[in-house]
Amino acid sequence: MMGIQSKVKGKINIFLFLFICLFSLSACLNTKKKLVEDSFRSIEAGLTTDEVRTQLGEPKRIVTKFEEIQELRDEDAEKSIDRWETENPKIYNKFYGSEDNEQTVYQILKDRKDIICYVYQYEEDISQEIGYWHIYFIDDEVVTMYFP
């Protein structure tokens, strides 16, 4: 009788151990970095797609079709508010440096067909509303980014 009880206890212990391991593993896999506006402050022109993924995680969506990129760019032009110059000129300078460079980037984004856009979802710091940040790459390097 004692042999049967110890075998049952052993199987229960193994089952509990496996259950705890699986639960722990699933918790690790489901951990997703919560992005807020400040998460994007470290992004600058010249970073590679791998560097951006290391800092921010996987994007919600990757857009590669030229027509979709142009739609996003048009949407960005309509909805984005240019806070960089007034709130933090250093951010503006990390991407453009001058208005002439800014116009050059805009023209490149209009003309090039090999642009990739990473779309990241983030949560507004104060209102906790969901927004989308667009990071544009050419030749595997960040060219610019937009936010609502």
Side-chain angles (χ1 to χ4, degrees), residues 66 70 73 96 100-113 115 138 143 146:
F66 182 72
Q70 294 302 41
R73 293 266 306 116
Y96 307 120
D100 290 340
N101 290 345
E102 180 181 20
Q103 293 308 313
T104 301
V105 169
Y106 287 152
Q107 193 59 48
I108 289 170
L109 288 171
K110 281 183 178 180
D111 296 339
R112 296 277 298 257
K113 299 204 184 292
I115 302 167
I138 294 177
V143 179
Y146 289 91

Side-chain angles (χ1 to χ4, degrees), residues 1-13:
M1 195 77 160
M2 288 295 267
I4 293 174
Q5 285 180 339
S6 66
K7 283 184 182 181
V8 169
K9 273 187 174 178
K11 287 182 180 182
I12 290 173
N13 287 339

Side-chain angles (χ1 to χ4, degrees), residues 65-97:
K65 291 183 181 175
F66 182 72
E67 295 78 21
E68 289 181 59
I69 295 281
Q70 294 302 41
E71 286 176 23
L72 286 176
R73 293 266 306 116
D74 291 344
E75 183 182 307
D76 288 337
E78 287 178 24
K79 293 183 179 179
S80 290
I81 49 176
D82 195 358
R83 301 179 295 179
W84 290 356
E85 288 184 79
T86 55
E87 284 185 21
N88 191 346
K90 289 180 184 177
I91 296 172
Y92 182 84
N93 289 333
K94 286 195 302 187
F95 286 94
Y96 307 120

